[in-house]
Amino acid sequence: GENVEQHPSTLSVQEGDSAVIKCTYSDSASNYFPWYKQELGKRPQLIIDIRSNVGEKKDQRIAVTLNKTAKHFSLHITETQPEDSAVYFCAAMGQAGTALIFGKGTTLSVSS
Amino acid sequence: NAGVTQTPKFRVLKTGQSMTLLCAQDMNHEYMYWYRQDPGMGLRLIHYSVGEGTTAKGEVPDGYNVSRLKKQNFLLGLESAAPSQTSVYFCASRRPGQGRNQPQHFGDGTRLSIL
């Protein structure tokens, strides 16, 4: 089945810096890769996603890149702000395209 | 629209007790999921369902059972609770397919402690 590895597990940056979180996946048949943000005590919320026919996607300060040959994808946050502090999860569509398999999460701390 | 609603929000059990977690969605979604979230372990898929009357095992199914008798409800059962099942449980649902038009919606979670 699908396996998703996520790094780093924790990331601390200064306000205004950029943050990058990287994930790798194992199932070459996966073709959908969403990113979720989870604030303390809240539910995970979808922030951006990418499909395998696209190499990069941007939405204001966040962007996701995908290298399907290498089976890895990354989340980029520019001009970080304190409200970006949260746990971020990457995921890949596994179970023959029926279920999202998540990475273990990255705790991002943005200090002002 | 309430989205995905989980009941209860909190529960404390003793080892060996049984209980059922209820997930209800009002979006007419075919697919429903149960995940557990533990510190440093991310969201791990327990069981899922691709339609009424169907269920399938996920990454960590042992010790849990599920039922999908109605399309809008997905029940997660613990027959004999163990301390290792202390966790936050999230239910989710979505439409079939892959992509932006089929986002996965999560409930608010159930915090379960087993003593």
Side-chain angles (χ1 to χ4, degrees):
Chain A
E2 178 67 273
N3 183 52
V4 178
E5 299 285 339
Q6 182 172 348
H7 299 280
S9 56
T10 60
L11 180 59
S12 296
V13 300
Q14 291 286 325
E15 183 176 1
D17 288 349
S18 294
V20 180
I21 303 170
K22 299 182 179 181
C23 290
T24 60
Y25 61 98
S26 61
D27 187 352
S28 57
S30 294
N31 62 8
Y32 176 60
F33 308 94
W35 286 87
Y36 283 79
K37 175 183 180 182
Q38 186 182 30
E39 296 177 346
L40 190 62
K42 300 289 184 64
R43 69 179 75 180
Q45 300 267 20
L46 178 68
I47 57 171
I48 194 167
D49 55 12
I50 191 167
R51 294 201 60 165
S52 60
N53 58 346
V54 175
E56 183 176 3
K57 184 177 178 180
K58 288 183 179 180
D59 184 0
Q60 299 183 335
R61 295 186 297 108
I62 61 173
V64 58
T65 59
L66 171 66
N67 183 326
K68 197 158 171 59
T69 301
K71 290 191 285 188
H72 66 71
F73 55 113
S74 301
L75 177 71
H76 304 253
I77 305 174
T78 59
E79 300 174 19
T80 54
Q81 300 168 3
E83 52 264 39
D84 293 329
S85 296
V87 180
Y88 291 82
F89 293 99
C90 63
M93 187 61 73
Q95 310 298 100
T98 57
L100 286 177
I101 302 301
F102 287 82
K104 292 184 178 180
T106 296
T107 300
L108 173 64
S109 299
V110 181
S111 54
S112 55
Chain B
N1 272 357
V4 179
T5 302
Q6 293 184 231
T7 308
K9 296 188 184 307
F10 305 95
R11 186 73 183 268
V12 178
L13 289 178
K14 293 182 180 179
T15 298
Q17 287 185 318
S18 63
M19 80 161 294
T20 300
L21 279 64
L22 171 63
C23 177
Q25 52 93 5
D26 60 3
M27 296 172 283
N28 202 34
H29 286 169
E30 289 290 335
Y31 292 1
M32 295 188 73
Y33 308 91
W34 278 106
Y35 292 89
R36 61 177 289 174
Q37 184 174 24
D38 304 292
M41 299 299 292
L43 292 155
R44 292 182 292 171
L45 182 66
I46 305 172
H47 285 282
Y48 63 102
S49 168
V50 297
E52 182 178 321
T54 74
T55 62
K57 294 180 180 180
E59 302 171 274
V60 290
D62 294 343
Y64 305 94
N65 57 74
V66 288
S67 64
R68 184 97 181 269
L69 298 179
K70 294 182 178 181
K71 185 177 183 179
Q72 64 268 33
N73 295 337
F74 195 30
L75 278 60
L76 178 70
L78 287 73
E79 290 187 348
S80 180
S84 60
Q85 294 177 304
T86 293
S87 187
V88 179
Y89 292 85
F90 283 99
C91 177
S93 71
R94 70 179 182 92
R95 289 195 297 270
Q98 301 183 44
R100 188 61 170 168
N101 291 330
Q102 297 86 23
Q104 185 155 308
H105 299 264
F106 282 87
D108 285 333
T110 294
R111 188 173 298 275
L112 183 61
S113 294
I114 299 163
L115 307 178

